[in-house]
């Protein structure tokens, strides 16, 4: 809890003290009618780093001038281009370089991972998900179950918050795993829940599942680039994420995938295979005897879209310059604390955050419900939007607002709270 009375002046003072304040200037911030927007929707589409254009132009130039030789020539040849991203990406999610690959998109990677890690039998064929799973994850899990000839109604086990609670406690998750330990084949949960902003205790959940011999995968769409992760150390089996939210790599950009080393080295694991997952040394011998690369790259299917990878490389370089996730997390915790305190001071119980108040159980995002008689949350969201305050609305009742430490300021947070107050009075 911050003691002093909060104000625009206090916000500006926090900005002056912020060691990361210079990074805001490295991003293009949208404007409306000549005014810089209060952009709090980096959880949906991260902003464009100014250097991205240069990284893309470099590949366009390579293509213009070298044509097919671009695969092998220049400083960043396309053939190994994905490898230029791996080190920084791996550090951001707490993995070794051989455990991470950027490829495809999130839902595709989720299917690829389930093809390997969901191997149901008549006794064990269930998948544990959460009751409020993101639609794409829900459909992916449902269709995988059906693909194997089981009934989704029976084999999808959904863990829900306890009666009267907004978020799912770690105890509830572990109890549910225990309750179904003999029928479960896989535990598949989010890192940061998209609706509530809850950062799940991935380490404890993984330990609980492994205690019963179950495998665990996480969807890190809202966690990668947002919160510190230790995927290797926590012994997570696999994880998938996208790069266009907190990873600022542009709409629909290529996703990420983690496969723990102890699995990645098992080249006999069943998988959906493609030529880009085949050993680089013999890939072009065209012998049609699949020998997977003994790393996460062994799950690659196709040669990747280089322009998208170039945008990811640009963004990851910004993360690297900023010192990685630790300094960003320090600022993020301060931003959300300031956010919660400003809301409390200015709006009291007219606004309720369903995001955990414990900083270790949340990332950048606060999910806010408007609790004022006769006022519809959605109309408040629309009014904010018309004032140049970008947040998003998630059915049934939440305004999501996410100050992102790379480019948002304490002043942004204060302006949001002030304009929300205007909307409600
Ligand atoms: C953003 C998001 C997705 C999007 O999936 P794509 O395959 O990238 O379109 C999926 N799951 C969750 C939880 C998300 O937050």
């Amino acid at each position: 809890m911050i003691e002093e009375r909060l104000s625009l002046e206090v916000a500006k003072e926090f900005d002056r003290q912020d060691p990361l304040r210079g990074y805001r200037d490295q991003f293009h911030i949208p404007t409306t009618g000549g005014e810089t927007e209060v952009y709090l929707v980096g959880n949906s589409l991260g902003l464009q780093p100014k250097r991205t254009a240069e990284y893309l132009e470099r590949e366009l130039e390579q293509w213009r001038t070298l044509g097919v030789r671009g695969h092998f020539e220049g400083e960043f040849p396309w053939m190994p281009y994905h490898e230029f991203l791996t080190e920084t990406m791996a550090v951001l999610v707490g993995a070794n370089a051989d455990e991470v690959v950027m490829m495809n998109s999130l839902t595709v990677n989720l299917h690829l991972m389930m093809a390997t890690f969901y191997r149901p039998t008549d006794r064990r064929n269930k998948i544990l998900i959460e009751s409020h799973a993101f639609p794409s994850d829900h459909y992916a899990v449902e269709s995988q179950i059906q693909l194997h000839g089981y009934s989704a109604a029976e084999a999808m086990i959904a863990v829900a918050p306890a009666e009267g609670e907004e978020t799912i406690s770690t105890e509830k998750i572990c109890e549910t795993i225990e309750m179904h330990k003999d029928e479960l084949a896989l535990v598949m949960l989010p890192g940061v829940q998209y609706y509530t902003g809850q950062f799940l205790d991935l380490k404890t959940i993984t330990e609980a599942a492994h205690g019963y011999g179950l495998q665990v995968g996480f969807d890190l769409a809202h966690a990668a680039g947002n919160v510190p992760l230790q995927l290797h150390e926590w012994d997570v089996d696999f994880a998938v994420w996208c790069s266009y939210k907190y990873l600022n790599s542009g709409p629909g950009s290529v996703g990420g995938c983690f496969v723990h080393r102890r699995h990645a080295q098992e080249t006999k694991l069943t998988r959906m295979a493609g030529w880009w997952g085949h050993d680089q040394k013999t890939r072009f011998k065209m012998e049609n005897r699949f020998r997977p690369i003994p790393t996460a790259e062994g799950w690659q299917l196709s040669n990747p879209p280089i322009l998208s990878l170039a945008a990811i490389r640009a963004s990851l370089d910004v993360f690297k310059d900023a010192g990685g996730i630790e300094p960003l997390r320090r600022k993020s915790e301060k931003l959300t604390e300031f956010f919660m305190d400003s809301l409390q001071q200015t709006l009291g119980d007219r606004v309720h955050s369903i995001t955990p108040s414990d900083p270790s159980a949340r990332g950048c995002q606060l999910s806010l419900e408007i609790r004022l008689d006769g006022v519809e949350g959605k109309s408040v969201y629309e009014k904010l939007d018309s004032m140049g305050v970008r947040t998003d609305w998630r059915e049934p009742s939440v305004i999501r607002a996410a100050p992102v430490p790379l480019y948002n300021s304490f002043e942004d947070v204060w302006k949001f709270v002030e304009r929300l107050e205007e909307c409600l009075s």
Side-chain angles (χ1 to χ4, degrees):
M1 195 72 187
I2 299 163
E3 290 296 327
E4 60 198 307
R5 179 125 194 108
L6 304 174
S7 63
L8 179 60
E9 280 322 304
V10 173
K12 286 182 170 171
E13 181 51 34
F14 285 160
D15 283 329
R16 275 190 292 274
Q17 293 167 5
D18 168 18
L20 295 171
R21 65 185 175 280
Y23 284 89
R24 179 175 172 87
D25 196 41
Q26 295 199 23
F27 287 83
H28 293 287
I29 302 175
T31 57
T32 303
E35 256 211 65
T36 305
E37 292 178 3
V38 176
Y39 194 87
L40 298 178
V41 73
N43 55 338
S44 182
L45 183 70
L47 288 179
Q48 184 186 135
K50 288 182 179 164
R51 68 178 80 182
T52 301
E54 177 200 320
Y55 283 57
L56 287 182
E57 172 51 28
R58 187 183 190 128
E59 299 319 314
L60 290 171
E61 162 81 11
Q62 175 106 335
W63 179 22
R64 256 193 318 270
T65 55
L66 295 174
V68 73
R69 285 186 290 135
H71 285 298
F72 312 101
E73 294 180 23
E75 197 186 342
F76 297 101
W78 302 327
M79 193 62 83
Y81 199 96
H82 60 278
E83 297 171 14
F84 306 135
L85 318 177
T86 306
E87 185 72 39
T88 320
M89 189 67 252
V91 171
L92 270 183
V93 296
N96 298 298
D98 57 337
E99 296 175 312
V100 165
V101 61
M102 299 306 288
M103 61 180 187
N104 313 307
S105 51
L106 187 157
T107 310
V108 173
N109 290 338
L110 184 51
H111 275 297
L112 292 181
M113 289 296 101
M114 285 195 284
T116 296
F117 293 97
Y118 176 55
R119 311 294 307 157
T121 62
D122 281 345
R123 204 167 77 82
R124 276 179 180 269
N125 54 47
K126 302 193 175 175
I127 303 181
L128 181 80
I129 59 164
E130 41 130 356
S131 56
H132 206 210
F134 190 87
S136 202
D137 303 55
H138 184 102
Y139 305 148
V141 165
E142 186 173 53
S143 58
Q144 282 279 336
I145 290 169
Q146 289 161 346
L147 180 73
H148 287 280
Y150 297 99
S151 144
E154 284 166 27
M156 250 171 55
I157 306 231
V159 53
E163 186 71 29
E165 290 179 21
E166 330 262 17
T167 52
I168 313 176
S169 70
T170 309
E171 296 72 48
K172 179 102 195 268
I173 294 171
C174 294
E175 278 167 29
T176 311
I177 294 173
E178 203 211 334
M179 199 186 310
H180 298 281
K181 62 182 190 292
D182 297 324
E183 318 142 0
L184 280 171
L186 179 66
V187 173
M188 180 65 231
L189 290 168
V192 171
Q193 212 281 347
Y194 81 96
Y195 188 78
T196 63
Q198 179 189 9
F199 179 17
L200 278 70
D201 183 347
L202 306 188
K203 180 173 189 268
T204 303
I205 294 168
T206 305
E207 277 170 11
H210 284 179
Y212 307 116
L214 303 173
Q215 296 192 317
V216 190
F218 292 113
D219 180 335
L220 305 178
H222 284 266
N226 175 10
V227 290
L229 299 163
Q230 288 297 336
L231 298 182
H232 177 81
E233 213 178 287
W234 296 340
D235 209 27
V236 169
D237 294 289
F238 71 88
V240 295
W241 58 95
C242 54
S243 67
Y244 47 81
K245 292 173 179 164
Y246 293 100
L247 291 174
N248 308 323
S249 300
S253 208
V254 163
C257 189
F258 165 88
V259 183
H260 198 282
R261 183 180 279 168
R262 70 197 148 80
H263 300 305
Q265 291 174 348
E266 288 288 330
T267 52
K268 297 237 156 48
L269 280 179
T270 303
R271 71 190 75 199
M272 311 262 274
W275 74 318
W276 229 248
H278 182 92
D279 174 26
Q280 298 97 318
K281 289 189 287 292
T282 54
R283 184 183 288 154
F284 289 91
K285 291 203 163 156
M286 310 310 219
E287 291 172 332
N288 292 353
R289 281 193 299 274
F290 183 60
R291 283 230 316 267
I293 303 168
T295 71
E297 291 188 17
W299 277 263
Q300 291 176 116
L301 299 178
S302 304
N303 78 98
I306 297 299
L307 294 179
S308 168
L309 296 189
I312 298 174
R313 198 169 72 79
S315 168
L316 290 176
D317 281 354
V318 178
F319 274 90
K320 194 158 73 182
D321 290 355
I325 199 73
E326 279 78 23
L328 291 167
R329 175 64 169 172
R330 276 195 293 278
K331 177 174 172 186
S332 174
E333 286 180 351
K334 254 190 112 175
L335 272 171
T336 40
E337 187 189 18
F338 177 70
F339 197 174
M340 281 214 159
D341 290 345
S342 305
L343 283 169
Q344 181 56 37
Q345 179 188 299
T346 311
L347 291 140
D349 48 16
R350 285 181 285 169
V351 173
H352 170 73
S353 160
I354 66 167
T355 304
S357 54
D358 171 7
S360 71
R362 68 182 185 218
C364 297
Q365 172 187 321
L366 294 190
S367 302
L368 305 175
E369 282 182 355
I370 307 302
R371 298 209 172 149
L372 194 57
D373 278 347
V375 177
E376 281 289 332
K378 188 162 187 193
S379 67
V380 174
Y381 152 74
E382 283 162 357
K383 189 140 179 229
L384 281 169
D385 203 57
S386 74
M387 297 163 108
V389 177
R390 299 284 168 251
T391 61
D392 67 11
W393 172 255
R394 279 287 171 272
E395 294 293 347
S397 62
V398 152
I399 296 174
R400 301 190 305 178
V404 170
L406 267 177
Y407 50 77
N408 283 123
S409 60
F410 290 86
E411 189 174 339
D412 281 335
V413 170
W414 183 259
K415 283 181 173 163
F416 169 87
V417 174
E418 218 173 38
R419 293 192 189 157
L420 181 57
E421 214 279 321
E422 250 178 270
C423 293
L424 295 183
S425 45

